[in-house]
Amino acid sequence: FENKLKLMKMKKIIFLFLTALTLITCQKEDNGILNPPEDDDTNAVEDSIGLVRLNVVIDVPEGSNVNSEDLKVSSLFSEDEPVLDDKSSVQLFSGEGAEVIFATNEPGNIVLLNIIDPSQTDEIPLNITTTALSMVLLHPWAFDLAPRAKMDAMEYIKTLDEFPEFVSSLENAF
């Protein structure tokens, strides 16, 4: 009989614990994932995920048949931002990390590329050199590098003897 009493008490305790757990986990939140800010409150959304808007400077190689005004600039949070006077802007995470920014032509082909750490700059260059560096970092060996290691790798790549030749071949293909 004593074992049945213990078993009944344990069942009641487990039932109370599961009820409390269900009530706690099913509560609605005032803000956050369950109740995101309204679509018309863009600043609240940007603040809640830590976005920053940075300027982008486009530098198309001389003699190219590509006009910078015909390009659109994109990032993870900005799509097809227009280019005026070789300048545009994109939204990025405000913290440390490696973010991809690219410019596309009218058919949607990527023509310029850059991988940057948004916490280290106020202005993002998009040119042949940044495209060459970023193309090297798109190689699978670089995927698992920490953001700081990616930035260090970019500095090292610039010092390699083959790098100017690679940049030149991209410029000629542009």
Side-chain angles (χ1 to χ4, degrees), residues 6-168:
K6 284 183 181 178
L7 186 60
M8 292 287 281
K9 285 182 181 179
M10 287 299 285
K11 285 182 180 180
K12 286 181 182 178
I13 291 171
I14 291 172
F15 176 74
L16 289 173
F17 174 75
L18 290 175
T19 303
L21 183 65
T22 302
L23 290 174
I24 290 170
T25 59
C26 291
Q27 285 181 351
K28 288 187 177 181
E29 294 181 17
D30 289 339
N31 58 14
I33 296 172
L34 294 180
N35 293 324
E38 297 297 322
D39 288 340
D40 61 346
D41 194 1
T42 306
N43 290 335
V45 172
E46 291 172 9
D47 291 343
S48 70
I49 57 176
L51 296 181
V52 62
R53 184 164 285 280
L54 294 179
N55 294 323
V56 179
V57 178
I58 311 291
D59 184 17
V60 177
E62 287 186 34
S64 169
N65 60 357
V66 175
N67 181 0
S68 66
E69 306 285 322
D70 296 334
L71 300 176
K72 302 287 184 193
V73 179
S74 299
S75 70
L76 180 61
F77 296 103
S78 300
E79 187 175 352
D80 294 336
E81 296 287 335
V83 176
L84 300 170
D85 297 326
D86 298 330
K87 294 185 186 334
S88 187
S89 67
V90 291
Q91 286 184 307
L92 304 165
F93 281 119
S94 59
E96 184 177 301
E99 297 265 349
V100 177
I101 298 92
F102 57 92
T104 55
N105 59 11
E106 189 64 36
N109 300 317
I110 295 175
V111 293
L112 295 172
L113 179 67
N114 197 350
I115 297 175
I116 61 120
D117 179 353
S119 67
Q120 300 297 316
T121 186
D122 292 328
E123 193 170 80
I124 304 164
L126 272 179
N127 55 47
I128 289 295
T129 303
T130 64
T131 301
L133 287 167
S134 299
M135 287 176 70
V136 174
L137 284 184
L138 290 176
H139 194 276
W141 67 264
F143 284 168
D144 291 332
L145 290 177
R148 182 73 248 150
K150 285 182 182 182
M151 299 306 123
D152 291 344
M154 288 176 91
E155 291 304 314
Y156 174 73
I157 291 166
K158 288 180 195 176
T159 66
L160 297 175
D161 293 337
E162 301 87 356
F163 186 69
E165 184 180 336
F166 179 51
V167 172
S168 179

